[in-house]
Amino acid sequence: GYLAKSSRRAAKACPKACYVESRSRRIARMRELVIDTETTGLDPNDGHRIVEVAVIELMNHLPTGRVFHRYCNPDRDMPEGAFAVHGLSKEFLAKHPVFAAHANELLEFLGEDQLVIHNAEFDLAFLNMELKRVGLRKLALPVVDTLTMARQRFPGQPASLDALFTRFAIAP
């Protein structure tokens, strides 16, 4: 399934340095990046912006301890509905740099490795819009969308992160 395909893809794309020697065989090291954003709204085409971006690096599906986490000043108001979701105020965000100040560092952290995103269409639309605003390339990395996976695995059932946390008894 998914893990086997991902491992094969990683093995093909991975240089020799991405392998670990075990006593019995060579094991591919697969790097993935779990990414999430918070925004001022639902549509970047309506002028909404990223206010927070967080990335956790995984190696062979386990956290390495390396993270990228930045708050971004959206240079606009914070709608009440968005504030209710993430609790980030305009006043708090005004103390932080705009996304452009973090863009190159984010791209360096991501490299060319696979992204894991819940509702990838949403996050990628915002990330690519922000990158475009500063004249940088659109993300063209392999993506695993956990929302799509959840909908396929549990058809007709809620597939939000909160619903999945409840289903799998995970504390958020």
Side-chain angles (χ1 to χ4, degrees):
Y2 157 72
L3 295 178
K5 287 180 185 174
S6 294
S7 296
R8 284 193 298 275
R9 244 190 333 271
K12 287 179 184 175
C14 200
K16 288 182 181 181
C18 290
Y19 288 91
V20 175
E21 295 292 331
S22 74
R23 289 184 183 156
S24 60
R25 61 189 165 113
R26 230 168 127 187
I27 303 168
R29 291 176 54 195
M30 181 174 67
R31 181 174 184 257
E32 295 175 296
L33 301 144
V34 179
I35 188 167
D36 192 30
T37 63
E38 296 297 341
T39 66
T40 61
L42 299 176
D43 190 345
N45 295 317
D46 289 340
H48 290 289
R49 305 290 302 274
I50 289 178
V51 297
E52 183 179 18
V53 59
V55 186
I56 298 172
E57 180 187 66
L58 305 178
M59 189 64 72
N60 296 330
H61 309 293
L62 298 175
T64 65
R66 288 190 67 220
V67 299
F68 178 94
H69 179 249
R70 302 292 183 276
Y71 293 109
C72 305
N73 180 345
D75 264 345
R76 59 157 291 155
D77 67 311
M78 179 59 66
E80 286 185 33
F83 178 78
V85 170
H86 52 61
L88 301 173
S89 69
K90 180 179 180 180
E91 295 75 26
F92 171 79
L93 293 167
K95 300 172 190 172
H96 295 275
V98 295
F99 181 89
H102 306 300
N104 284 316
E105 186 183 6
L106 173 64
L107 291 175
E108 285 179 32
F109 189 84
L110 297 178
E112 297 297 320
D113 295 299
Q114 179 170 272
L115 304 178
V116 178
I117 309 172
H118 195 78
N119 195 2
E121 182 179 356
F122 178 86
D123 288 309
L124 290 174
F126 274 94
L127 288 163
N128 286 327
M129 180 274 304
E130 293 284 3
L131 292 168
K132 181 180 177 181
R133 287 175 62 101
V134 296
L136 294 172
R137 66 177 168 83
K138 177 181 173 180
L139 292 175
L141 304 173
V143 175
V144 172
D145 187 346
T146 56
L147 177 62
T148 300
M149 291 174 67
R151 286 179 174 159
Q152 290 171 349
R153 176 72 175 92
F154 306 105
Q157 296 182 36
S160 70
L161 284 176
D162 288 337
L164 294 173
F165 288 158
T166 300
R167 182 174 296 121
F168 294 111
I170 298 170

